Amino acid sequence: MKLKTLLFASLLSVGVLAACSAQDSDDMKKIDDSLRMENKDQMSGEKKDMTDEKMSDKDAMKKDEMSEVENRAMNDGKAAPDFNLEGVDGKTYKLSDFKGKKVYLKFWASWCSICLSTLHDTDELASQEDGKDYVVLTVVSPNHMGEKSAEDFKKWYDGLGYQHLPVLLDPSGKLLQEYGVRAYPTSAFIGSDGVLVENHPGFMDKASIEEKLKEIN
């Protein structure tokens, strides 16, 4: 009888130990799973923080770029009248095509001695505009303010031999009115934002033109 009791007690102990072992295993598994979830959440949070930080950096860069553009485009004045004119070279020129760059726009005539004396400087300025933040354009209005006809002007201009100077023809004379041109030469300075910053009637040398282009945005 004692032997049976002892055997039963042994079996009961083994059962208890096995149950405890199984319970411990389950507990360990739960702890392990919990740690895995915590690590996963932590890594996910770190990844999100890094992503948020990158997005924040991108947003900051975008804001800086927008601020830079806004700072460049702070000229006082009204928008310069747009135009769509053909040049003596047969190309079509639109002011709106040059938005983002400053524009030096020179109004002149073939009979104007001051204009002719400064054409070389203007041509040289136009030849140096590659890589610069400005473009050089000139306008002649055939049959207006004493100018030749378009055909006669083209023949006359071809003989001057300038290679870099864009000469736009304004046969209607509309641009003279829109830009308030009363005398030749007249220099119009247009900002990179398309604003007409200044009209300057009369002589301007190359250095003064370059200095003015540096001053405007």
Side-chain angles (χ1 to χ4, degrees), residues 99-151:
K99 194 165 185 179
K101 282 199 168 189
K102 306 170 190 178
V103 177
Y104 170 57
L105 188 63
K106 179 176 182 176
F107 293 87
W108 64 286
S110 61
W111 53 262
C112 169
S113 58
I114 297 177
C115 302
L116 298 181
S117 69
T118 57
L119 275 186
H120 176 75
D121 284 348
T122 312
D123 183 69
E124 190 174 289
L125 192 63
S127 71
Q128 298 172 349
E129 68 182 28
D130 285 348
K132 298 291 182 69
D133 61 353
Y134 65 80
V135 294
V136 176
L137 303 173
T138 72
V139 177
V140 170
S141 299
N143 297 318
H144 293 274
M145 293 178 63
E147 186 52 81
K148 302 175 172 68
S149 67
E151 185 178 349

Side-chain angles (χ1 to χ4, degrees), residues 62-173:
K62 284 182 179 178
K63 286 181 180 179
D64 289 342
E65 288 174 0
M66 289 174 67
S67 177
E68 185 179 349
V69 170
E70 288 173 357
N71 289 334
R72 283 204 312 264
M74 291 181 61
N75 293 296
D76 293 328
K78 296 181 179 180
D82 199 1
F83 53 76
N84 186 339
L85 299 176
E86 183 177 315
V88 295
D89 56 5
K91 297 179 182 178
T92 299
Y93 294 83
K94 298 179 183 179
L95 179 61
S96 55
D97 288 343
F98 301 104
K99 194 165 185 179
K101 282 199 168 189
K102 306 170 190 178
V103 177
Y104 170 57
L105 188 63
K106 179 176 182 176
F107 293 87
W108 64 286
S110 61
W111 53 262
C112 169
S113 58
I114 297 177
C115 302
L116 298 181
S117 69
T118 57
L119 275 186
H120 176 75
D121 284 348
T122 312
D123 183 69
E124 190 174 289
L125 192 63
S127 71
Q128 298 172 349
E129 68 182 28
D130 285 348
K132 298 291 182 69
D133 61 353
Y134 65 80
V135 294
V136 176
L137 303 173
T138 72
V139 177
V140 170
S141 299
N143 297 318
H144 293 274
M145 293 178 63
E147 186 52 81
K148 302 175 172 68
S149 67
E151 185 178 349
D152 289 341
F153 176 83
K154 287 180 181 179
K155 290 178 182 177
W156 171 82
Y157 183 76
D158 283 343
L160 299 183
Y162 291 114
Q163 302 295 318
H164 308 286
L165 189 61
V167 181
L168 287 55
L169 299 178
D170 172 35
S172 69

Side-chain angles (χ1 to χ4, degrees), residues 12-31:
L12 183 62
S13 297
V14 171
V16 170
L17 287 174
C20 290
S21 177
Q23 182 64 42
D24 290 343
S25 177
D26 288 342
D27 290 343
M28 288 298 292
K29 185 177 180 182
K30 288 179 181 178
I31 292 171

